[in-house]
Amino acid sequence: MKKVLALVLAAALSVSVFAGCGGSGKSGSKLDQIKKSGEIVMYTNAEFPPYEYLGDDNNVAGVDVEIGQAIADSLGVKLKVQNTNFEGIVAGIASGKGDLGLSGITITAERKKEVDFSVPYVESVQYLVIPEDSDIETMEDLAGKTCGGQTGTTGFMLVDDEINGTNGAAGVLKGKDATAKAYNSAPTAMLDLQAGRIQAVVIDELVAIELAKANPGYKAIPFKYEDGNPVAEQFAVAVKKGNEDLLEAVNKVVQDLVDNGKIQEFIDKHADSTGDAE
Amino acid sequence: MGFIDSFVDKFQTTFIVNDRWLLFLDGFKVTIIMAVFATLLGVIIGTIVAIAKVYSFQTGKLKILDKILSVYLTVFRGTPIVVQLMIWYFIILTSVDNGVLVAIIAFGINSGAYVAEIVRAGILAIDKGQTEAGRSLGLSSGQTMKSIILPQAFKNILPALGNELIALLKETSVVGYVAVVDLTKVGDLVRSRTMDAVFPLLAVALVYLLLVIGLTAIQKRIERRLRQGDRR
């Protein structure tokens, strides 16, 4: 019994020790550190075309990589792309392991507590993939239905929030017998839609259109609320909290890219290249 | 922010905000249900398969059944459990809506293949004289297996069986692939919300560890009781 107790205590202790690691921060300008090391580290999850995906040469490519490259160029340093799990990106930036979080990351109140966000570079409208004869059109129509989505993606969280009334959502689906089902990827949710276990898949616009294109009998529609407002999100670059000079430098580059239409060019370019790969 | 503040804050966002501890509790229940029923299914399948294989080996009968069972062992031990699970869920049992049920079937049948070999080893390790003694006392071969061979075999294979059960409990952590929200998946979901990887991961790991410690204690207790007759 004593041994068991000792093990439990040891485990509990290690939890507290590790938990402490994330919290401690280094002082000194991040921007200076980046310039000195000659390298800026970008965290991304290359499973979200056209924003990030494994290109033909098996290196991470996509809109976000182009943005990261533009930021690196403006600072005169090399860009290092770190491919990781989506769930680990913001934590990686918050802990200072990565400098830029660029992975189609949506600005949310909860993420804002962990990291600072640049000005948004894309507004992404959420889409629903549904059978062609489906009568689902709005968020409110999901009452009594099951909607699938990818864990950690905004579309899934927005539906989940409306069901639970959490994170500032109005809770239009609260108590309406709606379910949000979490999948590891959008294509697996699509499989379950075809199996008939769920009635809709919520995902970002471009992915939704690709899914509907690849699966005859299904269509992708813009996801709206009953009042006509889109279920939407804004993508921005995540940087570690309290690095004003780095954030300023990033903001300047991102704003330029938006203003001169470069972001749209990147999206068109990479939407084409992912289309060819199919 | 001090160490204690940061700890308390992360604990709160992981467990207290939006009543997330309820999610963890639900996930824990799903994990337990899957582990218990898959284990039962696995032990039942494994024991039947092992007896059939031993019977076929010793008597030379049921050759075709033996071949079929060998294929079963090869296929289910030869492919990853995650792949099997997805095949069950997305291809074979598409009409079953209950993901937990599909998971129990997938894990149970997979575990049965491993348990079969464990039980078979246990039966073969019992001296042939035991069977002969049973038969000469007038017991049928079925009665001999049930009352003489299996009880002794079970005692010997208990540690190996315990191993398999522990492995099974942890293997269930892949059910997130078929949209079942178990303990591990709850950790993922909370992690994707709070963006804090440390606390949910370590909390989930700790729960599994405690479960395994509990299982091991139960196994030891059973083993001690069964070994009482061995002391001379």
Side-chain angles (χ1 to χ4, degrees), chain A residues 147-151 156 180-184, chain B residues 176-181 185 189:
Chain A
C147 180
Q150 184 182 346
T151 315
F156 173 77
K181 214 168 171 190
Y183 296 83
N184 286 7
Chain B
Y177 276 88
V178 297
V180 171
V181 183
K185 188 69 183 178
L189 286 169

Side-chain angles (χ1 to χ4, degrees), chain B residues 166-230:
Chain B
I166 286 170
L168 179 65
L169 172 75
K170 290 177 296 177
E171 259 173 16
T172 60
S173 63
V174 300
V175 285
Y177 276 88
V178 297
V180 171
V181 183
D182 72 325
L183 186 58
T184 303
K185 188 69 183 178
V186 169
D188 272 0
L189 286 169
V190 170
R191 209 148 49 92
S192 73
R193 285 287 189 166
T194 64
M195 297 296 144
D196 169 35
V198 178
F199 226 109
L201 276 179
L202 290 178
V204 166
L206 186 65
V207 174
Y208 279 107
L209 182 65
L210 291 177
L211 275 173
V212 170
I213 290 171
L215 274 179
T216 313
I218 295 171
Q219 183 204 325
K220 282 230 173 80
R221 183 165 284 207
I222 297 175
E223 207 176 323
R224 208 174 334 166
R225 175 158 310 172
L226 290 179
R227 293 259 169 232
Q228 268 169 2
D230 290 0

Side-chain angles (χ1 to χ4, degrees), chain A residues 26 251 270 278:
Chain A
K26 262 180 284 185
N251 272 339
H270 289 281
E278 303 262 18

Side-chain angles (χ1 to χ4, degrees), chain B:
Chain B
M1 194 158 39
F3 172 79
I4 300 289
D5 288 342
S6 146
F7 184 90
V8 169
D9 191 54
K10 284 195 190 308
F11 182 87
Q12 285 210 330
T13 47
T14 302
F15 295 109
I16 311 296
V17 174
N18 293 339
D19 281 340
R20 285 186 177 127
W21 65 274
L22 284 172
L23 287 178
F24 279 97
L25 192 65
D26 285 345
F28 176 78
K29 277 187 215 155
V30 169
T31 292
I32 294 283
I33 288 171
M34 284 191 304
V36 168
F37 287 100
T39 296
L40 282 176
L41 188 60
V43 169
I44 292 168
I45 292 175
T47 308
I48 293 170
V49 170
I51 292 172
K53 279 191 79 76
V54 169
Y55 179 78
S56 167
F57 175 74
Q58 285 173 347
T59 62
K61 292 179 199 161
L62 299 176
K63 278 279 174 232
I64 296 168
L65 179 68
D66 183 60
K67 280 275 175 297
I68 294 172
L69 293 178
S70 294
V71 171
Y72 159 69
L73 294 183
T74 308
V75 169
F76 283 87
R77 290 192 306 164
T79 50
I81 181 65
V82 158
V83 177
Q84 288 176 28
L85 179 67
M86 288 200 280
I87 290 174
W88 279 116
Y89 188 78
F90 289 120
I91 301 177
I92 302 174
L93 298 176
T94 46
S95 58
V96 182
D97 274 351
N98 187 337
V100 176
L101 182 63
V102 176
I104 289 170
I105 291 170
F107 288 118
I109 291 178
N110 176 268
S111 176
Y114 290 91
V115 172
E117 290 297 85
I118 295 172
V119 175
R120 194 167 68 91
I123 293 173
L124 292 178
I126 304 299
D127 193 275
K128 224 178 152 195
Q130 298 283 327
T131 312
E132 287 162 1
R135 295 310 303 274
S136 49
L137 284 171
L139 298 178
S140 72
S141 65
Q143 285 170 324
T144 311
M145 180 60 82
K146 194 175 123 241
S147 317
I148 296 182
I149 308 297
L150 277 185
Q152 298 184 69
F154 182 71
K155 190 165 72 177
N156 290 333
I157 63 174
L158 199 63
L161 220 45
N163 239 356
E164 169 60 20
L165 303 189
I166 286 170
L168 179 65
L169 172 75
K170 290 177 296 177
E171 259 173 16
T172 60
S173 63
V174 300
V175 285
Y177 276 88
V178 297
V180 171
V181 183
D182 72 325
L183 186 58
T184 303
K185 188 69 183 178
V186 169
D188 272 0
L189 286 169
V190 170
R191 209 148 49 92
S192 73
R193 285 287 189 166
T194 64
M195 297 296 144
D196 169 35
V198 178
F199 226 109
L201 276 179
L202 290 178
V204 166
L206 186 65
V207 174
Y208 279 107
L209 182 65
L210 291 177
L211 275 173
V212 170
I213 290 171
L215 274 179
T216 313
I218 295 171
Q219 183 204 325
K220 282 230 173 80
R221 183 165 284 207
I222 297 175
E223 207 176 323
R224 208 174 334 166
R225 175 158 310 172
L226 290 179
R227 293 259 169 232
Q228 268 169 2
D230 290 0
R231 287 195 210 110
R232 315 257 152 147

Side-chain angles (χ1 to χ4, degrees), chain A residues 61-275:
Chain A
V63 176
D64 285 335
V65 179
E66 306 258 14
I67 297 171
Q69 191 61 56
I71 294 169
D73 288 348
S74 81
L75 299 176
V77 294
K78 262 186 63 188
L79 177 72
K80 188 182 169 204
V81 179
Q82 188 75 46
N83 190 5
T84 177
N85 279 332
F86 188 78
E87 288 92 344
I89 293 171
V90 171
I93 301 300
S95 68
K97 280 200 183 120
D99 304 314
L100 302 173
L102 256 166
S103 197
I105 303 172
T106 306
I107 304 174
T108 65
E110 277 192 323
R111 286 174 185 162
K112 267 186 176 167
K113 279 197 277 180
E114 302 283 327
V115 291
D116 283 339
F117 280 105
S118 72
V119 291
Y121 57 88
V122 146
E123 189 178 49
S124 165
V125 178
Q126 292 301 307
Y127 265 56
L128 281 182
V129 182
I130 48 177
E132 255 160 15
D133 57 2
S134 169
D135 52 4
I136 297 173
E137 279 172 5
T138 65
M139 180 72 90
E140 286 82 354
D141 288 342
L142 291 175
K145 306 270 197 321
T146 303
C147 180
Q150 184 182 346
T151 315
T153 58
T154 303
F156 173 77
M157 291 200 227
L158 288 174
V159 174
D160 194 43
D161 282 337
E162 292 298 347
I163 290 169
N164 295 309
T166 44
N167 302 307
V172 297
L173 291 174
K174 202 168 184 179
K176 297 271 172 65
D177 191 32
T179 314
K181 214 168 171 190
Y183 296 83
N184 286 7
S185 71
T188 25
M190 190 68 211
L191 270 176
D192 240 10
L193 180 63
Q194 284 165 319
R197 290 193 186 99
I198 58 178
Q199 286 76 49
V201 174
V202 59
I203 195 80
D204 285 66
E205 174 179 3
L206 293 168
V207 185
I209 290 170
E210 289 296 322
L211 278 178
K213 218 196 292 177
N215 296 283
Y218 293 86
K219 61 180 178 184
I221 60 164
F223 197 11
K224 289 183 176 139
Y225 288 99
E226 221 158 46
D227 58 12
N229 280 330
V231 181
E233 58 172 346
Q234 291 176 315
F235 289 174
V237 185
V239 298
K240 194 177 174 194
K241 260 194 180 309
N243 292 286
E244 298 304 331
D245 47 356
L246 176 61
L247 187 62
E248 206 173 295
V250 170
N251 272 339
K252 198 176 155 310
V253 175
V254 171
Q255 197 60 56
D256 278 353
L257 290 175
V258 174
D259 289 346
N260 60 25
K262 279 279 180 194
I263 299 282
Q264 194 53 49
E265 268 177 44
F266 293 155
I267 291 173
D268 292 344
K269 174 180 158 195
H270 289 281
D272 282 353
S273 64
T274 48

